[in-house]
């Protein structure tokens, strides 16, 4: 199955202000976030991409603008975008619906009784007037799996694609890939404009990178070497005994 590069949007004005943005309209990247987005295009330059999908929220779409400007063939109506230069949008990759928590300062929310449930027992957490973290996990994992099947059918098993989304979304997808109970998803951290790479196979997913903010050239598909290394063009689905494929 294809390799998914999950990009968290660049730093936003809500991140800087310590506000839980959720689906609040008009939340954009700050100056640091725009610089991160510009750098992302260069970091991904060595990696062949076949599809770019995004949360519909502004901060994700802005994060992808430099990448799509550099690779116009990945955007537009022929790739599922609503207009030229637009990525395919999927609401299932959108931020959690935080309901009554939306727009409130994180420092204030940390005093709410529900905060401890979110931190320690995420599978039981449901936001008032919003959705539960179980629902978030179900819709986001379902979206990723569906896109994987579509991309594999259209572009082959070694295709690499990008989905730009949000912190809790990415953490939920990583938890699923690792077989973690949702209660443990707060152990996962992904920084703004980081890249998390998951190689899906028929047997199991492989987490190749998590929250990476550095060089990404090694994520490009490689010629088959029959090492069983996941993430290259070799279809091996078993982990390497000894845990390394580096030179001896």
């Amino acid at each position: 199955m294809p390799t998914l590069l999950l990009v968290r949007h660049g730093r936003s004005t809500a991140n800087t202000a310590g506000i839980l943005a959720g689906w609040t309209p008009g939340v954009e990247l700050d100056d640091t976030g725009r610089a991160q987005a510009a750098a992302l295009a260069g970091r991904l330059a060595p990696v062949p991409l076949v599809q770019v999908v995004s949360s519909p929220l502004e901060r994700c779409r802005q994060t992808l603008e430099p990448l799509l400007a550099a690779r116009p063939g990945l955007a537009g109506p022929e790739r599922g975008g609503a207009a030229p230069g637009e990525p395919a949008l999927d609401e299932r990759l959108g931020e959690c619906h935080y309901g009554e928590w939306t727009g409130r300062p994180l420092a204030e929310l940390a005093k709410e009784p529900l905060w401890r449930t979110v931190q320690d027992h995420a599978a039981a957490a449901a936001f008032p007037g919003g959705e539960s973290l179980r629902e978030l996990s179900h819709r986001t994992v379902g979206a990723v799996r569906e896109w994987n099947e579509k991309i594999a059918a259209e572009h082959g098993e070694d295709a690499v694609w990008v989905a730009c989304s949000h912190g809790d979304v990415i953490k939920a997808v990583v938890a699923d890939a690792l077989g973690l109970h949702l209660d443990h998803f707060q152990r996962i951290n992904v920084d703004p404009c980081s890249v998390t790479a998951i190689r899906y196979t028929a047997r199991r997913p492989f987490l190749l990178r998590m929250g990476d903010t550095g060089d990404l050239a090694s994520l490009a598909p490689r010629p088959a070497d029959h090492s069983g290394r996941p993430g290259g063009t070799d279809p091996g689905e078993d982990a390497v005994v000894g845990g390394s494929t580096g030179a001896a």
Side-chain angles (χ1 to χ4, degrees), residues 160-223:
V160 184
W161 65 288
V162 165
C164 188
S165 191
H166 307 267
D168 281 349
V169 172
I170 295 171
K171 287 158 60 176
V173 174
V174 170
D176 170 75
L178 292 177
L180 288 178
H181 194 283
L182 188 62
D183 283 350
H184 301 313
F185 100 134
Q186 297 290 22
R187 301 181 183 193
I188 298 164
N189 181 71
V190 288
D191 289 328
C193 225
S194 64
V195 174
T196 294
I198 303 173
R199 168 73 172 178
Y200 287 89
T201 75
R203 188 168 299 168
R204 65 173 70 86
F206 289 88
L207 181 64
L208 306 180
R209 301 282 185 92
M210 188 171 73
D212 196 313
T213 57
D215 180 75
L216 300 169
S218 66
L219 292 174
R222 300 180 180 183

Side-chain angles (χ1 to χ4, degrees), residues 1 15 32 38 47-49 54-55 64 67 80 86 115-116 123 161 164 171-172 175 183 185 188 200 221 228 233 246:
M1 294 288 284
N15 296 145
T32 295
V47 184
L49 303 173
S54 179
S55 156
L64 293 173
L67 173 64
E86 283 284 328
W115 182 269
R116 286 262 50 93
W161 65 288
C164 188
K171 287 158 60 176
D183 283 350
F185 100 134
I188 298 164
Y200 287 89
T233 55

Side-chain angles (χ1 to χ4, degrees), residues 66-136:
L67 173 64
L68 295 179
R71 304 197 202 188
L74 290 175
E78 67 280 4
R79 291 300 184 103
E86 283 284 328
L89 302 180
D90 191 331
E91 290 199 357
R92 296 174 298 174
L93 296 176
E95 180 62 284
C96 183
H97 292 278
Y98 293 114
E100 295 172 16
W101 279 32
T102 302
R104 293 176 61 187
L106 292 169
E108 178 184 294
L109 292 172
K111 300 174 184 177
E112 294 277 355
L114 179 59
W115 182 269
R116 286 262 50 93
T117 304
V118 172
Q119 298 301 314
D120 301 333
H121 191 17
F127 296 98
E131 68 182 331
S132 69
L133 288 174
R134 294 190 313 277
E135 290 169 327
L136 169 75

